[in-house]
Amino acid sequence: MDKILVLDFGGQYNQLIARRVRSEHVYAEIKPYNKISAAEIKAIGYKGIIFTGGPNSVYEETSPHVNRDILELGIPVLGICYGHQVMAYTLGGTVTPGYEKGEYGKTTLYTSGSPLFKDIAKISICWMSHRDMVSNLPEGFVSIAKTDRCDVAAMENREKRLYGVQFHPEVTHTEFGTEILRNFIFKICGCSKDWRMDDFIEQSVERYRRELDGKKVLLALSGGVDSSVAAMLLHRAIGSSLYCVFVDHGLLRKNEGDYVEKTLGEELGVNIIRVNAKDRFLGKLAGVTEPEKKRKIIGSEFIHVFEEEARKLGKIDALAQGTIYPDVIESGKGDSAVIKSHHNVGGLPSVMDFKMIVEPLRELFKDEVREVGVKLGIPSDLVYRQPFPGPGLAVRIIGEITEEKLDLLKDADAIFREELDKTAERASVAQYFAVLLDTRSVGVMGDSRTYGYTVALRAVKTDDFMTAEWARIPFEVLERASNRITNEIKGITRVVYDITSKPPATVEWE
Ligand code: XMP
C-alpha cells in the first residue's frame, strides 16, 4: 500500500492534512518532525512527505528544524506554510519576518506552470495565515506562485520533486486546494488509490483471524461508536471467542442499554455479556454531590465490575480496545510530547495483566471508523450518534443522584432529543441533551400548586468540542420540548435553555 508521511511541525491542521490525503484513498500517517529519521523514512518506503505548518519562526532557537537528509532522499516533499519556510531555510534560502501585518485569510493567488498547479486556474483564491515569508529561494528552486504581498507564495525544484506552498491547500477556503493535493500525491508522488475501507475490513479480519486463532479476547463495550465498531470487526474475525463485557451503570440514556444489546447482540450476533450494575453504582453514588467525586467513583466502580466479570471468564489471552488514530497521534510541538494513554470506557483495568492488547481501529480517523461501522452492518443511527460522556447522566444531574432524578432526566432528555431530531437543524448541532437541576420551583397545573424540578436544555455547535457555541435552535422546537416535558413528566415544572458558549462554560454542566 502506498503511504504518505505527514511530518508534523505543530500546525493546527496536521490531522486535516492526513484526512484529506486519506479521502483520496491514499494512506497517510502523522509523525512528529523529530521522531523519524531519514533512514526510517526510506526503509518504510513512503511515496511522499508533507511538512505541516506550525506556529514558529524558523530563526527562533527553539523552533522545530528538519534534518537535511530527509530532503535529499529523493522522495517528493510538499512543505505547507511553516513547512514551506523550513524547507527553504534548510536548503539555504532566506526567510524574513513579514512586513508589519503578514497575510491572513482569503488571498488572491497567481500561479505559473508547475506540475503542482496542473489544471487549475491561473488566478484563484487561497487561504493564508503567516507573518514570515520566503524572500530568497534556495539554489535550484523557482517561484511558481505569488500574491500581492508575497513573491514566493509557492516554489519548486522540479528535478528534485521538492515543492513548497505558503498557503494552506488542506482548508476548504483554498479554491483549488484539493486539486493541488491531488497533483502532489498522484502526479508528483505517483501514489495509487489503494486505501479503501473494504480492503481495510478484509485485511483486518484476515489478520485477526490468524493472530487470535484459538485465543479468548475480552472487550469493554461502552455502547459508544468506537467500542461498538471494534467489537463488530473482531466479531467478524473470531466470532464467539470475543467476549464483550458491557457494564451498564444505569446512567445511560433512556433505553440505550437495551438498544445496544439488541442491535449488536441479538441482531448482529456479537457475544455480549451485559452486567446490570445500576444498583451498585447508585449505591456508591448515594449522597455524593461533588462532580469530580462522582466521576472518580464511577471510574473505579466500572473497573471493579469489569474485573469481576472478566475473572468469571477464566483465562483471557488478549484485551481489545476501541482506540482510534487521534488518540495515538503524538503532537510535533516539542520534544516533551508523549503519547496520550487512552481508555475508552472511563479507564480500563491497569491491574489486570494482559499479554496482548488488540486495537483494530488505531489507524483510523473517526469518520473512517463510522464508515467501517456502516460497512460492517451496524445501523447508521448507532454509528452516527452524538458523543456521550463516560460517566453518563451522572454529570447531568446536579447534586445528589437518585433513581427518581435519573428517571426524570432520562424522560426529559428523550423528549428533547426526539423533538430536535425531527427538524433540519439537527444536522448542524453537534450535541444536545437535557440536564436536571437541583433547584425546585413552584408551578401551577389545573387549579393545583405543583412543586417540581427544573430541566435545562443544552444544544451546542462545535467542530472539536474544545470550543462550542450555543445553538440557535428554533423557538418552536424549544416550545414543543418544554410543553411535552412539563405535561408528560410528573415532577418537572420548569424548563430553561442554556445560552452559554464554551468558554466560559463547558458543554456538560459538571
Ligand atoms: P466539556 O464538558 O468538557 O465536554 O466541554 C466536551 C466533550 O467531552 C464530553 N465529555 C466526556 N466524555 N468522558 C467522556 O468520554 C467524560 O468524562 C467526559 N466529560 C465530558 C462531552 O460530552 C463533550 O462532548
Side-chain angles (χ1 to χ4, degrees), residues 295 387-391 396 431 465 502 506-508:
R295 279 173 191 269
F388 186 65
R396 295 178 182 170
Q431 205 172 358
F465 294 91
K502 173 185 179 176
T506 51
V507 175
E508 303 288 349

Side-chain angles (χ1 to χ4, degrees), residues 352-369:
M352 292 181 84
D353 181 21
F354 291 104
K355 300 245 165 350
M356 194 178 174
I357 302 282
V358 183
E359 296 177 317
L361 310 177
R362 64 178 283 125
E363 285 172 2
L364 305 187
F365 284 112
K366 192 83 176 185
D367 45 351
E368 294 172 320
V369 171

Side-chain angles (χ1 to χ4, degrees), residues 4-11 13-19 22 27-33 35-36 46 50 52 325-326 328-332 363 365:
I4 294 282
L5 171 66
V6 176
L7 210 54
D8 178 14
F9 289 92
Y13 300 128
N14 60 11
Q15 293 197 22
L16 188 59
I17 296 171
R19 288 173 58 176
R22 286 192 189 187
Y27 185 73
E29 59 190 8
I30 303 170
K31 299 268 188 231
Y33 72 96
K35 295 279 171 69
I36 187 163
Y46 291 107
I50 298 178
T52 75
Y325 196 52
V328 295
I329 299 174
E330 278 182 87
S331 150
E363 285 172 2
F365 284 112

